[in-house]
Amino acid sequence: MRALGEGLKTSASGMKAMVAQAVAFGATYLGVRAVSQAFLSLTKSAVSYTANLEKTKIGLQSVLAAVENTDWETAGKRAGAAFEQLRELAIKSPATSAEMFDVFNGIVGPVEAAGFAMDKVLSLTNDTVLASSALGVDFAQASRDINQMVRGTAG
């Protein structure tokens, strides 16, 4: 009987060890899966962000090519410089980079047509964002207002 009791104890402790190993394996699997999902999510977000930046650069390039009546390559160089300056301005601004790009795109045509240089367009973009934020006016409306004022059609 004693041998049978010892055998059952050994079997029970072996079973407990096996269950503990299965639980540990399951927890490890879930942990690895969670880390993998987080990595995939971060990678997907980074790719999406990069794609959006490229779309914005191409958009700026298109606007500048049309507004300045220049070739695609020249517009690309100017758009790259404007893009970087707008990103730097956005860091210190209440607007996101995308909002800064939208305001810029809305006013660059009439402001340059009025004879102002790119530096003035960038400065006016920043001033428009700051003023509209302080007054509680949405950026798109402020951009339209500046556009109309420069064209002489506001009223």
Side-chain angles (χ1 to χ4, degrees):
M1 279 298 224
R2 203 170 208 217
L4 181 61
E6 290 295 319
L8 287 176
K9 278 186 183 179
T10 304
S11 283
S13 71
M15 184 60 94
K16 284 181 184 178
M18 203 163 70
V19 168
Q21 284 180 338
V23 168
F25 178 75
T28 301
Y29 171 76
L30 291 176
V32 168
R33 187 167 181 201
V35 169
S36 297
Q37 292 298 327
F39 179 75
L40 288 174
S41 177
L42 288 173
T43 303
K44 185 177 180 181
S45 295
V47 168
S48 176
Y49 177 75
T50 302
N52 284 334
L53 288 180
E54 283 303 312
K55 286 180 193 175
T56 301
K57 283 182 187 178
I58 291 169
L60 286 174
Q61 187 173 359
S62 297
V63 167
L64 291 177
V67 167
E68 298 175 349
N69 199 25
T70 61
D71 64 89
W72 188 252
E73 187 176 329
T74 302
K77 290 176 185 173
R78 297 207 11 104
F83 179 84
E84 290 305 319
Q85 288 176 308
L86 287 168
R87 282 181 47 170
E88 287 176 23
L89 288 171
I91 291 170
K92 302 172 191 169
S93 158
T96 64
S97 295
E99 291 166 331
M100 290 290 276
F101 299 138
D102 289 343
V103 171
F104 175 86
N105 283 337
I107 68 174
V108 66
V111 173
E112 282 198 342
F116 293 99
M118 181 61 72
D119 287 342
K120 183 61 178 172
V121 178
L122 292 166
S123 174
L124 188 56
T125 299
N126 191 50
D127 293 346
T128 301
V129 165
L130 293 174
S132 65
S133 179
L135 296 171
V137 176
D138 69 86
F139 298 129
Q141 181 62 51
S143 176
R144 284 189 300 273
D145 290 347
I146 294 296
N147 182 311
Q148 290 177 346
M149 283 188 272
V150 173
R151 288 176 183 219
T153 60

